[in-house]
Amino acid sequence: MLMDLGLPSSFAAANGTTYQKIAEYYRLKHGSLSQLVDWMKREWQISPAQLKNSELHRLIVELDFPLVCTTIYDSNLEMSYETFGRPFTRTTSAKDMATAPAGKTQIVKYHGDFSDPDTLVLTESHYVERLSFDAPLDIKFRSDAFASTLQFIGYSMSDLNIRFLLHHLWSTWRRTELDRHRPPLFLFMHEPTEVQVHVLKRWGVTVLNGDGESSGASLAQFLERLLERRNPDAGGSIFCRSAEPL
């Protein structure tokens, strides 16, 4: 975006500017995000062969969660399910929610999908607008998180929308005075800090730390252990920020 806007690569760090602000400026300058979306679609495309060799993608598919919610825009996760022969349905809108077939993993694109650029949550305005949490996918996520065990992977909790939503979920349970019955929430991190652990614990999120040499290795080990110990009759959901390490 900085290159297209004629700004130096150091602009964001030097001025304390977030990518959301830069995306906002990009949209104002170009009139739309179409050029950026076309670039991301080209650059972020991964072949089925690469996905087939990805241990992380294989494990996510084999764990067979009924619900996978992700903030990534590309279709690599869906391609993984196709590559490993598992049925799924993609949800990006209220229509998808209403027509989702039973018995298939539901992949919810919480921040939109390249197939419909208008659904993308990318600019600062997009994030601010989502803070009201009254969009269909927000309502769905609140409902799913309220009643199900949720496991976050590949996620740093830097997303303001998700942090706000977790706080809202925690406060809602507290008001019921039945929060002891709240389903557990887990977050896997390779090297969590003491600050992250304690702040998330306040919101009812248990941080699980890895012991591998890298974030990718730690995550693969964690998912492998989860696969070995899973209860095939238990439900649950997983929230994938990304599954980038291939």
Side-chain angles (χ1 to χ4, degrees), residues 82-102:
E82 291 175 348
T83 299
F84 292 105
R86 288 292 178 93
F88 72 93
T89 182
R90 179 172 56 193
T91 297
T92 63
S93 66
K95 177 184 176 182
D96 295 335
M97 291 166 53
T99 59

Side-chain angles (χ1 to χ4, degrees), residues 1-226:
M1 288 189 290
L2 292 171
M3 185 184 302
D4 285 351
L5 292 167
L7 296 172
S9 58
S10 60
F11 179 86
N15 295 277
T17 305
T18 64
Y19 84 82
Q20 292 96 338
K21 283 189 175 71
I22 296 171
E24 189 78 42
Y25 181 55
Y26 185 100
R27 183 172 65 169
L28 292 171
K29 291 287 286 187
H30 290 287
S32 74
L33 295 173
S34 59
Q35 287 179 278
L36 178 62
V37 171
D38 288 342
W39 178 87
M40 290 191 291
K41 288 170 69 175
R42 290 194 308 271
E43 294 295 317
W44 296 354
Q45 187 173 7
I46 298 175
S47 70
Q50 287 176 288
L51 291 171
K52 195 168 186 178
N53 291 326
S54 167
E55 184 70 0
L56 289 178
H57 284 85
R58 180 189 67 81
L59 287 167
I60 290 172
V61 174
E62 284 197 20
L63 279 162
D64 198 26
F65 287 99
L67 176 67
V68 178
C69 187
T70 178
T71 55
I72 58 177
Y73 314 120
D74 60 55
S75 60
N76 296 328
L77 190 57
E78 296 95 300
M79 286 176 59
S80 296
Y81 277 79
E82 291 175 348
T83 299
F84 292 105
R86 288 292 178 93
F88 72 93
T89 182
R90 179 172 56 193
T91 297
T92 63
S93 66
K95 177 184 176 182
D96 295 335
M97 291 166 53
T99 59
K104 292 184 179 181
T105 292
Q106 189 174 165
I107 299 177
V108 181
K109 308 299 284 287
Y110 188 68
H111 278 176
D113 183 80
F114 284 149
S115 63
D116 185 359
D118 290 336
T119 65
L120 299 187
V121 177
L122 182 59
T123 70
E124 187 173 59
S125 292
H126 291 152
Y127 277 85
V128 172
E129 289 164 3
R130 287 292 288 271
L131 287 177
S132 62
F133 294 113
D134 57 2
L137 290 185
D138 294 320
I139 296 170
K140 175 175 174 53
F141 183 69
R142 286 207 311 269
S143 174
D144 291 332
F146 198 86
S148 304
T149 297
L150 201 65
Q151 171 70 58
F152 290 81
I153 66 170
Y155 206 85
S156 65
M157 282 298 155
S158 60
D159 187 297
L160 179 61
N161 290 149
I162 300 301
R163 295 205 326 268
F164 192 90
L165 192 145
L166 285 174
H167 180 271
H168 182 70
L169 183 67
W170 168 78
S171 61
T172 300
W173 268 108
R174 287 292 299 270
R175 288 195 299 272
T176 68
E177 298 184 354
L178 296 170
D179 47 315
R180 67 185 182 278
H181 299 292
R182 178 185 177 185
L185 303 180
F186 299 99
L187 170 68
F188 177 84
M189 301 182 76
H190 174 50
E191 294 178 337
T193 66
E194 184 177 353
V195 172
Q196 290 168 323
V197 171
H198 282 79
V199 169
L200 290 169
K201 183 179 180 180
R202 166 71 169 163
W203 296 344
V205 181
T206 300
V207 175
L208 308 173
N209 63 288
D211 52 12
E213 295 181 359
S214 65
S215 58
S218 288
L219 181 54
Q221 290 178 15
F222 169 72
L223 293 178
E224 189 69 58
R225 292 196 299 269
L226 195 61

